[in-house]
Structure formats: C-alpha cells, structure tokens
C-alpha cells in the first residue's frame, strides 16, 4: 500500500492512477498495461453481480419475495447512484461506510460480551472454549496434521475473495482528492491498522462466538443456505439468545458499499 501510495502521489494527474496508467507509466509497455487493465476490469465486473446477489440473499432473510426482485432493485439503485454527481455519490458513500464501521465495531463488542459470558443464555465465561473443543484448526479433506494444513489453506483461499480488490481503491481517485500529496500517504499508512482491527478482530470474534461444528452452521452449509442464515455472526448471536437483526444489516451494508465502489471504479476503467 505504501508503494502504491508513493506511485500515485508522485504524479497525481487525472486518469493516471488506474492500473492501466500506472503499468504503462512505470513499464513503458502498452501491451502489458492493457492486459493489466483488462484483468482488473474483468475482476471488477465479476464482483459487482456477486455483491448484488449477496445483498439480495441477505434481504431474503426477512422477506419471502423472489430474490430476483431484490436483485433488480439493487441493480437499478446502484446505477442511479453512479449517475449522480460526485458530490452526492461521495456523500452517500460516506454515510453508508460510516454505518458499516459502526455495525462491525458493534459486532466486535458483542463478541467481547459473549466471550466474558454476558449474554442471556450464558452462565459462565465462554473464553476460547471453541478453540479447544472442537479446536482452532479443524481437519479438512484428510486427517492428522495434513488435514489441518489443508483447512488453513482452504480458509485462506476462500477468504481472499473478500480482500482481492479493496486496497487499490484508496488510491484510484488520487487526482480528485483534496491535497493528494498530504492525504494519500496518510490513508495508505493507516490501511494496515484498519486491516488489523476489522479483519483480525472479526476473525477472532467468529472463532469465539461459534464452534466450527455448530449444528446450525453445519445445517446451513449442508442445505446450501446463503446470506444471513449461514453467517457465523448471526448463528453465534442466536446461540447466545441475543436475537437482534442488526448483524444482518452489517452484511447488507458491506455488500452494498463494496458494490457501489466496484461499479464506480469499473466505470473509470472503461
């Protein structure tokens, strides 16, 4: 992130902070730049419908309407949002992102409460019980140490999708930002702290509030459930008898924010 921040801060010109422009500037190869730009565009184009579908399935947790209805509503809402002036688009993004941050922080706080046994269904400190039974590293595909290694590798591969194209969005609008040579280095330097807090703390909370062999989690996976019904956060909170719908809002907001950012970024690449 620091290296990317240095590259876009050096010459913060309009249209010169995309993958295509950066690759062409620093390699001098238009062919390589075209390949890099199209590769990023292809990835962004895949993520947009994936996030729309994820958001629609989360809403379906509350509604019995056909998922196609929600996909259509979200699709056209996102298009309209991206047609607005940058000022209004940025304002909407700011408030949606703020809600997401507050909700994720709330989930982490709820996880701490469950950790110390503060939920209605708890009568003792839970602690890292699930890290011992059934264990923090579960066997996958095969048994023994090899199975635990396969489990770790499988988890890394599946979780990489949530992190595949987020960092560079901080610098893609370098020329449009206010005083980029001051603000962009600050944003890129602080990225690691946001990563540690939201990602690492979120993973620890999931491991604390729900077991890897939880019956609800296993049934959701076996039945192919999607959206909030298969969320470890929701299952852990339900097990603790903290029946509240706002964890679902976190996932919905996360999908919608990622989607709007993706479509906006992709429109720049086009």
């Amino acid at each position: 992130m620091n290296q990317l921040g240095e590259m876009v801060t050096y010459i913060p010109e309009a249209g010169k902070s995309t993958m295509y422009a950066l690759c062409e500037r620093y390699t001098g190869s238009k062919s390589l730049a075209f390949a890099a730009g199209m590769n990023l565009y292809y990835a962004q184009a895949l993520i947009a419908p994936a996030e729309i579908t994820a958001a629609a399935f989360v809403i379906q947790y509350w509604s019995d309407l056909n998922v196609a209805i929600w996909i259509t509503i979200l699709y056209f809402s996102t298009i309209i949002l991206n047609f607005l002036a940058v000022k209004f688009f940025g304002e909407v993004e700011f408030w949606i992102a703020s809600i997401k941050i507050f909700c994720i922080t709330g989930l982490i706080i709820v996880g701490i409460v469950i950790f110390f046994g503060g939920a209605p269904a708890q009568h003792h400190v839970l602690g890292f019980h699930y890290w011992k039974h059934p264990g923090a590293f579960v066997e996958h595909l095969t048994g023994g140490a090899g199975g635990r290694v396969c489990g770790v590798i499988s988890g890394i591969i599946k979780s990489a999708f949530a992190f595949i194209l987020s960092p560079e969005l901080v610098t893609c609008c370098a020329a449009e930002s206010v005083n980029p040579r001051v603000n962009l280095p600050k944003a890129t330097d602080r990225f690691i702290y946001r990563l540690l807090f939201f990602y690492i703390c979120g993973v620890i909370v999931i491991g604390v509030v729900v077991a890897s062999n939880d019956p609800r989690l296993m049934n959701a996976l076996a039945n192919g459930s999607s959206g909030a019904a298969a969320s470890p956060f929701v299952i852990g909170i339900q097990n603790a008898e903290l029946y509240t719908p706002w964890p679902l809002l976190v996932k919905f907001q996360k999908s919608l924010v990622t989607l709007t950012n993706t479509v906006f970024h992709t429109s720049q690449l086009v």
Side-chain angles (χ1 to χ4, degrees), residues 21-231:
L22 288 174
C23 190
E24 182 183 13
R25 181 199 300 175
Y26 290 103
T27 65
S29 173
K30 289 185 177 293
S31 300
L32 181 60
F34 175 79
M38 289 303 298
N39 184 51
L40 180 59
Y41 169 76
Y42 177 72
Q44 296 281 11
L46 287 179
I47 290 177
E51 293 295 342
I52 288 179
T53 305
F57 276 114
V58 170
I59 299 175
Q60 202 177 31
Y61 186 83
W62 291 307
S63 172
D64 294 328
L65 294 176
N66 192 298
V67 68
I69 298 175
W70 298 115
I71 290 176
T72 304
I73 293 174
L74 291 172
Y75 176 75
F76 283 103
S77 299
T78 305
I79 292 177
I80 293 172
L81 179 60
N82 280 269
F83 270 108
L84 296 178
V86 175
K87 175 183 178 181
F88 300 104
F89 178 86
E91 191 72 18
V92 172
E93 284 293 290
F94 170 79
W95 287 109
I96 293 179
S98 298
I99 294 173
K100 180 186 72 170
I101 290 173
F102 286 132
C103 289
I104 295 177
T105 303
L107 279 176
I108 293 174
I109 294 174
V110 170
I112 295 174
V113 172
I114 296 176
F115 179 90
F116 288 105
Q122 295 178 293
H123 305 287
H124 57 83
V125 176
L126 179 62
F128 293 99
H129 173 75
Y130 296 136
W131 289 25
K132 299 178 181 178
H133 307 284
F137 296 94
V138 181
E139 297 175 354
H140 180 62
L141 298 179
T142 184
R148 289 190 289 273
V149 172
C150 288
V152 172
I153 295 174
S154 177
I156 293 174
I157 293 173
K158 293 177 180 178
S159 62
F161 179 78
F163 191 67
I164 187 171
L165 290 172
S166 296
E168 79 283 352
L169 297 180
V170 178
T171 60
C172 68
C173 299
E176 289 79 7
S177 62
V178 178
N179 200 356
R181 291 194 171 179
V182 174
N183 293 323
L184 277 178
K186 290 181 181 179
T188 54
D189 288 342
R190 295 169 183 171
F191 181 81
I192 184 63
Y193 302 111
R194 297 194 295 270
L195 175 65
L196 289 174
F197 180 74
F198 291 114
Y199 278 79
I200 305 302
C201 290
V203 169
I204 293 175
V205 167
I206 290 175
V208 166
V209 301
V210 64
S212 60
N213 61 351
D214 184 273
R216 292 184 179 181
L217 183 62
M218 293 294 99
N219 289 335
L221 295 176
N223 297 330
S225 300
S226 58
S231 169

Side-chain angles (χ1 to χ4, degrees), residues 230-252:
S231 169
F233 282 115
V234 175
I235 294 174
I237 290 174
Q238 288 178 342
N239 290 341
E241 296 185 2
L242 291 172
Y243 295 97
T244 172
W246 61 264
L248 311 181
L249 179 62
V250 176
K251 297 189 69 176
F252 174 72

